[in-house]
Amino acid sequence: MAHTYEYPRPALTVDCVVFGFDGAGLQVLLIRRGLEPFLGAWALPGGFVHMEEDLEAAARRELEEETGLKGVFLEQLETFGAPGRDPRGRVVSVAYFALVRPDRNPARGDTDASEAAWFPADKLPELAFDHSVILTTALERLRGKIRYQPVGFELLPESFTLTQLQALYEAILGRGLDKRNFRKKLGAFDFVVETQGFAGGSHRPARLHRFDHDKYEALRSKGFLFEL
């Protein structure tokens, strides 16, 4: 027997904040809307949740449909449901944030996104809906998260220099870090491992390092807390 609901039901969407790091600064992937409302405006990738989908599946589907991204680090951020946030009606959005490498994920628009592009996180265009609020919330989450969990390694090449790693943290935190103190703290963690390789292009090439996921997980299972 079908149920009749006394109260109207809002629509449900997902929105995705996609962060990248180009070696110098933090980047955000945006799509240009190909449909009303906000036709032609820049926005976060996202869309409506299908009735048979769970939330993360919907977020991953929208990311792949609108930007081509798949198999990326994805984490639920927060729910945004202010009345009037969407001119189409009462729409609640569950936001996610993703961490990817722009060099491996070139921007491309698809389905209802007429275009996609990477933008510097500190030089963003005006965004549709309440997406500027969602993006600010995601950046605050990322800044807090990298202090206790090494998610930043999702944004780096498989092999990287310590200078690149410090530049990543500075880009996310929005401030400079003392090189000596940063490397001293980093030296206490044996999951940042030296490789046999060196970065090219210098008469004193820098040693390349890699992140050892297995060592980190082994430490974390014993109650280890990552702090930088």
Side-chain angles (χ1 to χ4, degrees):
M1 180 178 177
H3 292 280
T4 301
Y5 292 91
E6 180 181 355
Y7 300 102
R9 288 171 287 173
L12 182 63
T13 62
V14 286
D15 288 301
C16 301
V17 182
V18 183
F19 290 116
F21 180 63
D22 65 357
L26 193 65
Q27 305 284 308
V28 177
L29 182 60
L30 301 176
I31 57 103
R32 191 186 291 277
R33 287 184 58 79
L35 301 171
E36 292 287 3
F38 300 104
L39 176 65
W42 290 101
L44 300 174
F48 287 93
V49 178
H50 294 168
M51 293 298 289
E52 73 281 1
E53 284 183 309
D54 69 22
L55 293 173
E56 184 171 322
R60 291 190 179 279
R61 173 182 55 78
E62 286 290 342
L63 266 182
E64 184 173 358
E65 288 180 356
E66 294 193 341
T67 69
L69 292 180
K70 55 184 176 180
V72 300
F73 173 96
L74 194 65
E75 182 175 306
Q76 190 173 128
L77 174 64
E78 192 172 310
T79 301
F80 296 83
R85 63 174 298 275
D86 191 318
R88 293 169 292 192
R90 189 73 171 94
V91 180
V92 174
S93 181
V94 179
Y96 287 78
F97 76 92
L99 304 177
V100 304
R101 288 177 50 190
D103 62 327
R104 287 187 175 180
N105 299 279
R108 68 175 182 85
D110 206 348
T111 64
D112 59 349
S114 63
E115 183 184 354
W118 288 98
F119 287 86
D122 58 354
K123 294 180 181 179
L124 296 173
E126 185 175 350
L127 301 181
F129 304 102
D130 59 349
H131 288 184
S132 61
V133 176
I134 296 175
L135 200 152
T136 298
T137 304
L139 183 55
E140 290 173 353
R141 168 73 67 85
L142 180 59
R143 285 174 172 167
K145 198 173 185 67
I146 63 165
R147 294 179 176 276
Y148 65 86
Q149 188 175 337
V151 294
F153 292 100
E154 299 285 346
L155 299 169
L156 289 169
E158 185 174 337
S159 297
F160 52 86
T161 67
L162 296 184
T163 298
Q164 287 176 307
L165 180 58
Q166 182 172 337
L168 168 65
Y169 271 76
E170 291 176 337
I172 293 174
L173 295 172
R175 59 181 175 84
L177 298 172
D178 179 77
K179 178 179 177 180
R180 185 174 181 180
N181 189 47
F182 179 82
R183 297 196 177 191
K184 181 179 179 181
K185 288 182 177 180
L186 201 62
F189 310 131
D190 68 350
F191 49 78
V192 179
V193 182
E194 283 190 356
T195 72
Q196 297 301 310
F198 292 87
S202 173
H203 66 286
R204 293 184 62 187
R207 172 78 69 175
L208 291 171
H209 294 71
R210 64 178 178 85
F211 176 62
D212 192 315
H213 290 269
D214 292 337
K215 284 188 176 181
Y216 171 71
E217 289 299 329
L219 286 171
R220 191 171 67 87
S221 67
K222 298 176 182 178
F224 167 80
L225 181 63
F226 176 78
E227 276 190 289
L228 268 180

